[in-house]
Amino acid sequence: LLGFYKGILPPVLAETPKRAVKFFTFEQYKKLLGYVSLPPGLAFAVAGLGSGLTEAVVVNPFEVVKVTLQTNQNAFTEQPSSFVQAQQIIKTGGLGFQGLNKGLTATLGRHGVFNMVYFGFYFNVKNILPVNKDPNLEFLRKFGIGLVSGTIASIINIPFDVAKSRIQGPQPVPGEIKYRTCFKTMGTVYKEEGFLALYKGLLPKIMRLGPGGAVMLLVYEYVYAWLQDTI
């Protein structure tokens, strides 16, 4: 059973600062874009792109450690701890693109595209659809928009996710690096496995980030409003 939870510590450690960075930088980029004459709809998308790129830089080292642990086929009790695994990665590959920041370009693409669609779609559609006076219906309205936002963003960004997994995961031939850069990896996957291979894992991704994206936005909005009223 514990095999399903391999690599759980890195995402647990990463999620709190990752989400904080996502929403904090989104608000900051949104304020900065207020000085530029951009249509509000486009400003939300650009601010989301900026927050995604910033988030990717923060989260990528955790992703490298997580993927390395998850692809370790030893029993849960036999594999190294997250800290030891990070030390091993730094020792063999350093802090650069062959070590703790392997696959950074793919992670930048994954988070940048996701957040651009996620925030852009959510806030634009939310401003178009009329607000419900009934709090329960308003909650459902926001949840529905968030669910669709997370789903669409997952569908659009998954090729970057596939590329990231190939680059950060074990290579097909030990000692030989087949997957190096983001777009080259996408091209290799497309050429060897077909177009649909770029969408492998789409269903579990949607199951995770569709409702997860809705919950995240709702918690953010309601907690943010509560803090504004309270503090």
Side-chain angles (χ1 to χ4, degrees):
L1 179 64
L2 291 177
F4 286 110
Y5 294 90
K6 283 185 175 183
I8 187 65
L9 186 57
V12 166
L13 293 174
E15 282 304 307
T16 300
K18 172 183 170 181
R19 302 309 179 190
V21 167
K22 176 197 287 284
F23 288 102
F24 174 74
T25 55
F26 172 72
E27 291 293 340
Q28 301 313 306
Y29 287 127
K30 194 169 66 173
K31 289 177 183 177
L32 287 174
L33 289 169
Y35 298 103
V36 183
S37 57
L38 284 177
L42 181 59
F44 285 126
V46 174
L49 174 63
S51 74
L53 296 176
T54 309
E55 178 187 32
V57 174
V58 174
V59 79
N60 193 67
F62 295 97
E63 286 288 318
V64 173
V65 176
K66 182 192 75 171
V67 171
T68 305
L69 288 170
Q70 289 178 340
T71 53
N72 186 331
Q73 296 186 15
N74 292 330
F76 184 86
T77 54
E78 297 173 1
Q79 69 177 12
S81 67
S82 299
F83 182 71
V84 171
Q85 185 67 69
Q87 285 183 313
Q88 290 176 357
I89 293 170
I90 294 171
K91 185 177 179 180
T92 56
L95 298 172
F97 296 140
Q98 300 303 317
L100 208 57
N101 272 295
K102 186 194 299 182
L104 178 60
T105 53
T107 306
L108 287 168
R110 183 180 79 156
H111 288 267
V113 170
F114 182 89
N115 282 8
M116 180 176 66
V117 177
Y118 180 63
F119 284 117
F121 184 91
Y122 179 79
F123 285 102
N124 279 296
V125 173
K126 194 185 79 163
N127 290 338
I128 294 172
L129 296 180
V131 177
N132 283 296
K133 294 181 179 179
D134 186 328
N136 294 325
L137 292 176
E138 177 62 10
F139 177 87
L140 290 175
R141 180 184 78 100
K142 290 180 177 178
F143 183 85
I145 300 170
L147 179 66
V148 176
S149 301
T151 300
I152 294 175
S154 298
I155 293 171
I156 293 175
N157 91 323
I158 194 169
F160 292 96
D161 206 353
V162 170
K164 184 193 82 69
S165 297
R166 297 295 180 97
I167 295 168
Q168 294 178 344
Q171 300 293 314
V173 180
E176 180 183 322
I177 301 177
K178 180 178 181 179
Y179 304 113
R180 289 182 180 273
T181 60
C182 178
F183 290 105
K184 187 176 179 181
T185 298
M186 285 184 191
T188 301
V189 172
Y190 172 75
K191 183 179 179 181
E192 295 182 355
E193 303 172 43
F195 178 74
L196 291 180
L198 292 170
Y199 290 84
K200 284 183 176 179
L202 179 60
L203 182 59
K205 184 181 177 72
I206 289 175
M207 291 173 66
R208 178 171 68 94
L209 288 174
V215 169
M216 190 160 51
L217 279 167
L218 283 173
V219 170
Y220 169 72
E221 285 215 16
Y222 283 106
V223 172
Y224 184 86
W226 178 81
L227 289 171
Q228 290 287 84
D229 293 339
T230 307
I231 301 176

